Amino acid sequence: MILRQVRDTAADAEVVQEVSLAAFAGPSDDPARPPRPTPLQLARTRHLARTDPGGCWLAESGGQAVGVVLSMRREGLWMPSLFAVRPSARDQGVGRLLFERALAHARGCLRGMVCASDSPAAARRYRLAGFTLHPAMRLTGRVDRNGLVDPGDIPVHRGNTTHLHLLDSVDRRLRGSAHGPDHELMLGHFEELLVADALAGSGYCYRDGGTVRLLAATSKRIAARLLREALARVPDGTEARVEYLTAEQEWALDVGLEVGLTPETGGFVGVRGMRPPTPYLPSGAFL
């Protein structure tokens, strides 16, 4: 088996996503018609290969890619973004070797954060790496617009690249590190960025279709205002989705219940050297 760094090429991006799709395929998926990776998945792979080459590794055996790990470090915070091993290569030490390479990229980082699936193997790997695993919830369903009553005393407007300093400032306050170059990628691929900037504080939220991709705010009141606004903008007939709520994100659970979304358990938010940031809803891809 060979371990090599992921390269910033279209070919490597395709290989990484093919391994990921194979690793996370469900029992009802047709192996003869595998799903295609999204433009964001491909762009995320190339982005991290550029910004964090030491944290992005492929495992190859017999000329085939059998596992991958993508991870990033931002101002002292280390975050695994993707960790996947083909079913045919599991229990052969592939995941351990890949994760050891990614952990070397974390050297010197005092804090860590990860959004993990329900996979027992992934949970074991992250726990052994020192992560405290907090069970997570997700909210799904059609938005009941009758529940979207909001006083509107905190103005929310669309954001753009002129707000990057505000976004990084909020990030540093909540998780101790900015997203930095990740924001420009998210701005280019998510449908809209919503920003709140008032005397009471500030915050932002990315929405893409019906999915809230990332939300950060300096208070629960501002976070709830941003979440209501994002859900109000979900197109009619589109299912809404809000992921990675921990027990400390009751403000988000309350908003979801107000508008008729259904809570379900799923996955973990893992942290080390820190508490889960709140009020904060992480991005699975960019944390």
Side-chain angles (χ1 to χ4, degrees):
M1 187 174 63
I2 298 172
L3 296 183
R4 68 167 178 86
Q5 288 181 326
V6 178
R7 295 183 289 258
D8 175 18
T9 65
D12 264 17
E14 289 278 357
V15 168
V16 165
Q17 293 311 314
E18 193 269 328
V19 172
S20 174
L21 291 170
F24 296 115
S28 61
D29 292 342
D30 183 356
R33 302 179 63 185
R36 292 288 304 152
T38 67
L40 175 61
Q41 289 171 330
L42 297 172
R44 186 266 306 259
T45 299
R46 298 192 63 174
H47 171 72
L48 294 183
R50 288 192 300 273
T51 62
D52 295 81
C56 302
W57 294 85
L58 272 169
E60 298 177 334
S61 178
Q64 181 188 48
V66 294
V68 62
V69 63
L70 303 178
S71 68
M72 68 189 95
R73 49 185 297 163
R74 299 285 180 267
E75 300 179 356
L77 175 64
W78 177 72
M79 298 160 285
S81 177
L82 175 65
F83 180 40
V85 177
R86 286 186 190 276
S88 60
R90 289 173 186 163
D91 301 321
Q92 298 176 27
V94 176
R96 176 180 57 80
L97 291 172
L98 282 168
F99 207 70
E100 285 175 355
R101 291 293 179 95
L103 276 172
H105 186 56
R107 194 169 293 127
C109 290
L110 300 179
R111 302 179 307 282
M113 184 163 58
V114 65
C115 293
S117 68
D118 289 323
S119 163
R124 185 181 309 111
R125 187 70 58 199
Y126 293 131
R127 182 66 194 126
L128 290 172
F131 285 89
T132 299
L133 300 178
H134 296 260
M137 294 176 284
R138 59 180 168 265
L139 301 167
T140 59
R142 300 290 173 87
V143 175
D144 177 5
R145 300 188 185 278
N146 293 321
L148 281 169
V149 178
D150 192 279
D153 55 339
I154 300 173
V156 174
H157 57 90
R158 290 194 70 154
N160 52 45
T161 54
T162 66
H163 296 97
L164 292 179
H165 288 301
L166 182 148
L167 308 188
D168 282 345
S169 175
V170 174
D171 289 338
R172 290 189 181 105
R173 175 167 173 171
L174 290 172
R175 58 180 216 161
S177 72
H179 277 88
D182 306 327
H183 277 304
E184 293 193 27
L185 186 69
M186 289 187 279
L187 276 168
H189 285 83
F190 295 150
E191 188 171 339
E192 66 177 348
L193 167 68
L194 301 173
V195 172
D197 189 15
L199 291 176
S202 54
Y204 70 90
C205 175
Y206 284 101
R207 179 189 64 82
D208 192 30
T211 303
V212 174
R213 294 291 186 181
L214 173 64
L215 189 152
T218 57
S219 74
K220 294 177 182 178
R221 184 163 167 259
I222 292 174
R225 173 74 177 94
L226 283 163
L227 183 56
R228 287 190 183 95
E229 184 66 27
L231 293 173
R233 292 170 178 246
V234 172
D236 288 335
T238 300
E239 181 171 273
R241 189 175 187 89
V242 186
E243 297 183 298
Y244 299 116
L245 286 70
T246 64
E248 298 186 23
Q249 313 295 348
E250 288 185 331
W251 59 269
L253 178 62
D254 290 343
V255 171
L257 294 175
E258 284 173 12
V259 299
L261 302 187
T262 301
E264 303 171 307
T265 57
F268 303 90
V269 174
V271 290
R272 66 178 193 177
M274 61 189 290
R275 292 286 301 169
T278 183
Y280 189 83
L281 299 175
S283 158
F286 301 103
L287 285 298

